[in-house]
Amino acid sequence: MALLPAILSSLFTIQFVLGYFANGFIALVNCIDWVKRQKISCADGILTALAVSRICLLCVLVLNWYATVLNLAFYSLEVKLIVHIAWTTSHHFSLWLATSLSIFYLLKIANFSSLLFLHLKWRAERVVIMILLGALVFLVFHLAVVGTDEKMQMNEDKGNITWETNLGDIMHLSNQTLFVLENFIPFTMSLTAVLLLIFSLWKHLKNMQLSGKGTEDPSTKVHVRAMQTVISFLLLFVIYFFSQIILLWNLSTQQNNSLHMVCKVLRILYPSSHSFILIWGNKKLRQAFLSFLWQLRCWLRKGK
């Protein structure tokens, strides 16, 4: 059984390094472009904030991994509380920024004649800001519940008073409910965005066929790239979410340590892998990445 933890630790570390590189690359390229142009677009701003939040999420996940696997002495209940709050915060921003990006792509790319959609389309940046502000209010409330729930669990051994036990159960149930809502609401929004993008693309292709034009046009390519980004986010997030649910269940039942480790490895796929898809789906980032690979190849040739 010692072989399995070693293999999983290697896979986890590789994913962490790749994810850290990809997110760092996104943030660096956009920040350099921001300094050069003295301005940054809404999409680039979201991508940069998303990359930073995922770097934080990756750091929290890798700390939790090695502290658990190596059973580090400093990983006390107080440290676990801080790590849990850090995970809640980074996870929250990572999820809601990705959702905001999905909504922004929908408003900027899709074409519908609805007056409500046109009203939102003209104010796409304001819509994104309002979504993030609403998510920030939700985060503050969630952190208060998480902190209270964790502290009450830490103090469980100090006494067995009925009202404290009942209050602890209520806070724990509230924490779990908020966790589900925090994931379900943005997931539903992103799913709605991708479905509307598919419908918009279908209408666009139908109009192109009726006008006798081909289907290979810039609008079609933009639709496809946006859908690839959002669909990949949804698929990876489903893996992440169910891995987290299994982790919570396994932690409460103390069933299987190997399953616990496998779920943690699957969980890190979301913040690491999706960033490469974001790079490939963005023209500026893709060109910068290909340029980096070309320079790396030339440097390795010179080294030989």
Side-chain angles (χ1 to χ4, degrees), residues 5-19 57-66 261-269 272:
I7 294 173
L8 293 175
S9 291
S10 299
L11 289 173
F12 189 94
T13 304
I14 291 170
Q15 289 186 76
F16 168 76
V17 172
L18 290 174
L57 179 58
L58 285 167
C59 290
V60 172
L61 292 177
V62 78
L63 173 63
N64 177 261
W65 171 270
Y66 283 106
M261 296 178 71
V262 169
C263 287
K264 284 189 174 183
V265 172
L266 290 174
R267 185 174 61 167
I268 202 173
L269 274 171
S272 58

Side-chain angles (χ1 to χ4, degrees), residues 72-225:
L72 299 177
F74 79 92
Y75 208 56
S76 61
L77 291 175
E78 289 76 12
V79 175
K80 285 182 179 179
L81 173 60
I82 296 171
V83 171
H84 191 181
I85 290 174
W87 174 80
T88 302
T89 305
S90 56
H91 163 75
H92 181 91
F93 280 114
S94 174
L95 176 57
W96 279 99
L97 285 165
T99 302
S100 299
L101 188 65
S102 303
I103 300 299
F104 186 77
Y105 282 159
L106 170 67
L107 295 176
K108 285 294 184 181
I109 295 170
N111 290 305
F112 295 105
S113 57
S114 169
L115 291 177
L116 176 60
F117 182 82
L118 292 174
H119 177 78
L120 295 175
K121 188 181 183 73
W122 295 330
R123 295 163 177 79
E125 294 185 6
R126 290 185 183 180
V127 172
V128 169
I129 291 171
M130 292 303 296
I131 290 173
L132 293 177
L133 286 175
L136 188 60
V137 173
F138 189 90
L139 174 63
V140 172
F141 183 67
H142 191 193
L143 285 177
V145 174
V146 167
T148 306
D149 180 34
E150 290 292 329
K151 286 180 180 178
M152 294 195 73
Q153 288 188 42
M154 288 167 59
N155 295 329
E156 273 185 357
D157 297 332
K158 293 183 178 180
N160 191 23
I161 303 174
T162 305
W163 72 268
E164 286 187 352
T165 304
N166 292 337
L167 183 60
D169 291 339
I170 292 171
M171 292 306 299
H172 189 65
L173 180 61
S174 300
N175 186 14
Q176 299 302 319
T177 303
L178 285 174
F179 173 74
V180 173
L181 285 175
E182 182 188 33
N183 290 277
F184 177 76
I185 294 172
F187 177 83
T188 304
M189 292 171 67
S190 295
L191 181 61
T192 303
V194 77
L195 291 174
L196 289 174
L197 278 169
I198 292 171
F199 183 61
S200 175
L201 177 60
W202 175 76
K203 283 181 61 180
H204 173 71
L205 292 176
K206 188 176 180 180
N207 291 332
M208 293 289 287
Q209 289 176 351
L210 291 174
S211 61
K213 298 178 181 178
T215 56
E216 292 295 328
D217 69 310
S219 181
T220 302
K221 292 179 181 178
V222 170
H223 270 85
V224 171
R225 286 195 183 279

Side-chain angles (χ1 to χ4, degrees), residues 292-304:
F292 167 77
L293 291 178
W294 176 258
Q295 291 176 7
L296 181 63
R297 183 183 177 187
C298 293
W299 180 76
L300 292 173
R301 281 184 175 181
K302 288 180 181 179
K304 293 181 180 179

